[in-house]
Amino acid sequence: MKKQVNKILFISAALVVSLAGCQNSTKVVSTQNSGLTKDTSKFLSQPLVTDIYTADPSAHVFNGKIYIYPSHDIDAGIPENDNGDHFDMRDYHIFSMDSIKGKVTDHGVALSVKDIPWAGRQLWAPDAAFKNGTYYLYFPVKDKKDVFRMGVALSKSPSGPFKAEAKPIEGSFSIDPAVFTDDDGVSYMYFGGIWGGQLQRWKDGQYDANGSKTDSQKEDEPALSAKVAKMSADMLGFDGAVKDVQIVTKEGKLLLTKDHDRRFFEGSWMHKYKGQYYFTYSTGDTHYLASAIGHSPMGPFVYQGTFMNPVQGWTSHHSILEVNKKWYIFYHDTQISNKTHLRNIKVTELVHNDDGTIKLIEPIK
Ligand code: FUB
């Protein structure tokens, strides 16, 4: 009998070792707020992860668990510039939590830039989706000509590891993919980002490598828009044309470039609340988070207002998620490092007002 137990123990240990060898390694990285030594009192909420730098959190519930798909910030020693070269990220880690206040598990490296056949550099803000038994990780990375494109990688597990497709998504460009799946099962990708995200360099489907580093529109012209495309049934490409995400005033006028506090800059997200489509985003070089509501996932969207004031740090990037009938915003700031490119992800509650606006969140007290 003892021999049998020993044999079972040996087989189990061998299995654990071999599984560990073929999967990304998993470890609990925080019970939230542990490991912080500096004064934390001025911040609305505390970092979810403190042992590596994380940013741009896209959160989803898969199989009853919360999964976070963030960027993995590193200090590559590259000086700051308007191209965003200092954001030189090289891989993704995926995190999970059983509940909003629960412990945070790091599932290890899920995808590396070196394993993406067409990639050059800079793995920026990702998102994930699930369809027909497969998880899809969508990511922006510069190709070998230094042009941002969107890629997709597949896995049978929400925590990866993910395997990248051989080529970028046809017709994709710029950064910050956010994939929303509607109640009818149709998915849409929202994307785009100005300055380092290169959106201003694209005109009529053509990339201008000598184009402006910053906003290229005239101040009195309609602002550059985020983009939206319907996803193909296999989730690997776009089905139809890429369209502008139109954000209009209550009078139906497109927001203008000079309207820095309201116009789009980067960091799109989409969620559905009480049958309405909420397009949320970071505003033109002022970095408020703003919301706009539409009756269709393709828009147009009527501007509703700011719902989060700027965080500490130059960038603002978020996702919005319902967990057990309550709504939350995942976001980042630079609490731990106080450096633009070394950020940490956070979560706090989000409240929808009856008039369609979202209650203002003050990330710094
Ligand atoms: O993380 C790199 C870039 O910074 C993201 O793509 C933007 O949304 C901003 O957060």
Side-chain angles (χ1 to χ4, degrees), residues 41 43 53 58 83 90 102 126 139-140 241 315 317 320 357:
S41 56
F43 296 97
Y53 292 109
S58 292
N83 273 337
R90 299 180 184 165
F139 56 88
T315 63
H317 190 118
I320 294 172
T357 58

Side-chain angles (χ1 to χ4, degrees), residues 55-57 71-73 84 87-89 122-126 140 148 175-177 192-194 196-197 265-268 282 287 314-318 332 340-341 343:
D56 310 321
S71 301
H72 174 196
D73 285 354
F87 294 106
D88 191 21
M89 296 85 107
Q122 295 183 289
L123 269 184
W124 283 15
F148 267 117
I175 59 164
D176 290 356
I194 302 173
F265 185 70
E266 63 182 2
S268 302
S282 177
H287 312 293
W314 199 79
T315 63
S316 191
H317 190 118
H318 75 295
H332 69 224
T340 309
H341 63 297
R343 300 161 291 179

Side-chain angles (χ1 to χ4, degrees), residues 44-118:
L44 173 66
S45 62
Q46 298 305 315
L48 289 170
V49 177
T50 53
D51 66 335
I52 60 172
Y53 292 109
T54 52
D56 310 321
S58 292
H60 294 271
V61 173
F62 292 131
N63 303 325
K65 244 184 179 187
I66 302 161
Y67 285 88
I68 311 172
Y69 300 84
S71 301
H72 174 196
D73 285 354
I74 54 164
D75 199 356
I78 298 173
E80 233 174 283
N81 60 27
D82 290 342
N83 273 337
D85 287 338
H86 46 303
F87 294 106
D88 191 21
M89 296 85 107
R90 299 180 184 165
D91 63 26
Y92 294 121
H93 284 230
I94 293 164
F95 298 85
S96 67
M97 299 189 291
D98 289 327
S99 65
I100 286 290
K101 292 209 181 325
K103 62 183 175 16
V104 182
T105 299
D106 178 352
H107 294 274
V109 175
L111 180 69
S112 291
V113 74
K114 64 178 167 37
D115 297 323
I116 303 166
W118 55 272

Side-chain angles (χ1 to χ4, degrees), residues 18 47 76 78 98 103 135 139-140 210 224 247 252 256 284 344:
S18 68
I78 298 173
D98 289 327
K103 62 183 175 16
Y135 293 88
F139 56 88
N210 300 315
L224 275 174
I247 305 173
L256 302 180
N344 45 256

Side-chain angles (χ1 to χ4, degrees), residues 76-283:
I78 298 173
E80 233 174 283
N81 60 27
D82 290 342
N83 273 337
D85 287 338
H86 46 303
F87 294 106
D88 191 21
M89 296 85 107
R90 299 180 184 165
D91 63 26
Y92 294 121
H93 284 230
I94 293 164
F95 298 85
S96 67
M97 299 189 291
D98 289 327
S99 65
I100 286 290
K101 292 209 181 325
K103 62 183 175 16
V104 182
T105 299
D106 178 352
H107 294 274
V109 175
L111 180 69
S112 291
V113 74
K114 64 178 167 37
D115 297 323
I116 303 166
W118 55 272
R121 61 181 183 130
Q122 295 183 289
L123 269 184
W124 283 15
D127 192 19
F130 172 74
K131 193 169 184 185
N132 297 335
T134 301
Y135 293 88
Y136 298 85
L137 181 69
Y138 296 97
F139 56 88
V141 68
K142 283 181 181 162
D143 64 16
K144 297 193 194 299
K145 292 185 179 150
D146 235 23
V147 179
F148 267 117
R149 306 269 178 190
M150 237 69 79
V152 56
L154 278 56
S155 177
K156 288 291 170 198
S157 160
S159 57
F162 282 84
K163 187 167 175 6
E165 291 286 285
K167 291 186 175 160
I169 294 175
E170 206 181 321
S172 71
F173 56 93
S174 197
I175 59 164
D176 290 356
V179 176
F180 163 77
T181 302
D182 207 350
D183 302 329
D184 60 3
V186 178
S187 300
Y188 302 82
M189 183 187 284
Y190 301 83
F191 62 93
I194 302 173
W195 293 31
Q198 302 178 339
L199 190 62
Q200 72 283 358
R201 292 186 173 177
W202 285 89
K203 289 258 148 54
D204 306 320
Q206 297 299 314
Y207 179 75
D208 176 5
N210 300 315
S212 165
K213 280 189 182 162
T214 56
D215 318 45
S216 60
Q217 307 285 99
K218 297 213 172 80
E219 292 285 297
D220 283 313
E221 285 179 357
L224 275 174
S225 314
K227 306 294 167 197
V228 56
K230 205 168 161 185
M231 298 302 293
S232 53
D234 65 7
M235 298 295 274
L236 301 179
F238 296 156
D239 176 8
V242 170
K243 304 220 163 114
D244 285 344
V245 174
Q246 293 191 323
I247 305 173
V248 296
T249 62
K250 295 214 160 81
E251 295 73 42
K253 296 218 163 88
L254 285 169
L255 296 183
L256 302 180
T257 304
K258 66 182 176 194
D259 199 346
H260 301 281
D261 289 351
R262 301 197 295 174
R263 70 169 170 87
F264 174 78
F265 185 70
E266 63 182 2
S268 302
W269 192 255
M270 170 60 61
H271 76 280
K272 197 173 181 178
Y273 178 74
K274 293 195 173 167
Q276 307 233 64
Y277 297 87
Y278 284 68
F279 178 72
T280 48
Y281 58 98
S282 177
T283 59

